[in-house]
């Protein structure tokens, strides 16, 4: 069965620090990969997605992620975080093509940014 | 405004009393799905629907039912709720050509089963 692992449960950073959140997936074939963000009290929003092509994907709010096939990873990065980035971040994966309706989420990483 | 609407937002009820959480989207999306979110477990897919009258189980379907009689609506039914179904529930919908992955989420329904 497919699975998604997020390395950190809770990350605390000061403003302007760089961010990297780890995500590894376990799938037999090709995958679609996603990062979602959930701000306190709000619903999930899509940050970025990877289907194919350039493994470096740019999303909204200055976030980017790199797909490294050999490492089964899709880490999220931001060069300089702001207090407003405080949220919970979820990595998700689905098989490409048939079966792509099934979406598996990681357990999430809470990010706290200290002003 | 494009949106996914869930009702109710909050519900406290008792074990065994059937309940339905409604979900409606105004974007003419074909794909809709239900998730539950629990602390430390992230989001887990309950059921999804590829189109009207086409539904399938996700990762945690036990104790839930769904129906998709109209494109815009995808209700989640708990025939006999139990305390382990206390959770935060999200409905989502997606447009064609986006890999059928959820792009729009509802605001969530917090269910407490006593």
């Amino acid at each position: 069965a497919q699975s998604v692992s997020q390395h950190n449960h809770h990350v605390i950073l000061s403003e302007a620090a760089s961010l990297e959140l780890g995500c590894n997936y376990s799938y037999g074939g090709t995958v679609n990969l996603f990062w979602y963000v959930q701000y306190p009290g709000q619903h999930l929003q899509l940050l970025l997605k990877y289907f194919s092509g350039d493994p470096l994907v740019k999303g909204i709010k200055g976030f980017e992620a790199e797909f490294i096939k050999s490492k089964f990873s899709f880490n999220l990065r931001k060069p300089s975080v702001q207090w407003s980035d405080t949220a919970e971040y979820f990595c998700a994966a689905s098989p490409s093509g048939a079966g792509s309706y099934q979406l598996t989420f990681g357990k999430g990483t809470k990010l706290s940014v200290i002003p | 405004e494009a949106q996914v609407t869930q009702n109710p937002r909050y519900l406290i009820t008792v074990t065994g009393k059937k309940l339905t959480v409604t979900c409606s989207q105004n974007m003419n999306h074909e794909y809709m799905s239900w998730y539950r979110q629990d602390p430390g477990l992230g989001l887990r897919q309950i059921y999804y629907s590829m189109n009207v009258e086409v539904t399938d189980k996700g990762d945690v379907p036990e104790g839930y039912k769904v129906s998709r009689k109209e494109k815009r609506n995808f209700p989640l039914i708990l025939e006999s709720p139990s305390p382990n179904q206390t959770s935060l529930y999200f409905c989502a919908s997606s447009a064609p050509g986006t890999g059928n992955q959820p792009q729009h989420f509802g605001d969530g329904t917090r269910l407490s089963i006593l």
Side-chain angles (χ1 to χ4, degrees):
Chain A
Q2 56 260 28
S3 65
V4 176
S5 300
Q6 292 184 239
H7 306 158
N8 307 100
H9 177 63
H10 192 184
V11 173
I12 302 172
L13 295 173
S14 298
E15 274 193 316
S18 64
L19 169 71
E20 181 160 3
L21 301 182
C23 172
N24 286 91
Y25 64 92
S26 171
Y27 267 130
T30 55
V31 295
N32 299 327
L33 295 160
F34 309 84
W35 276 98
Y36 289 86
V37 61
Q38 186 177 32
Y39 297 103
Q42 295 188 25
H43 58 256
L44 276 80
Q45 300 174 41
L46 183 67
L47 266 182
L48 47 80
K49 59 189 177 186
Y50 172 79
F51 287 169
S52 63
D54 189 343
L56 186 60
V57 180
K58 295 196 184 298
I60 61 172
K61 302 178 190 273
F63 287 91
E64 64 178 31
E66 185 176 12
F67 170 55
I68 302 180
K69 189 175 181 181
S70 60
K71 294 185 178 180
F72 299 91
S73 70
F74 190 57
N75 292 355
L76 181 71
R77 300 195 291 246
K78 186 171 184 178
S80 176
V81 295
Q82 301 171 317
W83 176 79
S84 58
D85 292 324
T86 294
E88 190 158 17
Y89 294 81
F90 294 93
C91 182
S94 74
S96 301
S100 66
Y101 303 101
Q102 290 185 293
L103 188 63
T104 301
F105 283 85
K107 294 182 179 181
T109 297
K110 280 189 181 161
L111 173 64
S112 298
V113 180
I114 303 168
Chain B
E1 180 190 348
Q3 59 185 3
V4 177
T5 304
Q6 295 178 228
N7 279 297
R9 292 291 313 280
Y10 304 91
L11 179 64
I12 302 174
T13 188
V14 296
T15 299
K17 185 176 180 183
K18 180 180 178 179
L19 67 91
T20 299
V21 184
T22 63
C23 174
S24 180
Q25 49 95 1
N26 63 358
M27 296 164 281
N28 202 35
H29 286 170
E30 292 175 348
Y31 174 79
M32 298 184 74
S33 57
W34 275 104
Y35 299 85
R36 60 178 290 174
Q37 183 178 17
D38 301 289
L41 296 178
L43 281 89
R44 293 177 291 170
Q45 193 175 49
I46 303 171
Y47 269 95
Y48 58 91
S49 171
M50 292 76 82
N51 213 326
V52 175
E53 302 291 3
V54 184
T55 64
D56 206 350
K57 297 176 181 178
D59 293 324
V60 288
E62 295 78 20
Y64 304 95
K65 284 175 58 176
V66 292
S67 69
R68 188 91 182 272
K69 293 182 170 42
E70 306 166 280
K71 201 171 191 178
R72 64 182 291 125
N73 295 323
F74 189 44
L76 180 69
I77 303 158
L78 285 71
E79 293 268 1
S80 182
S82 62
N84 64 12
Q85 293 177 296
T86 292
S87 187
L88 177 59
Y89 292 84
F90 288 100
C91 179
S93 74
S94 174
T98 57
N100 292 308
Q101 298 316 313
Q103 302 286 336
H104 299 264
F105 279 81
D107 288 335
T109 295
R110 191 168 290 280
L111 288 184
S112 294
I113 316 294
L114 305 178

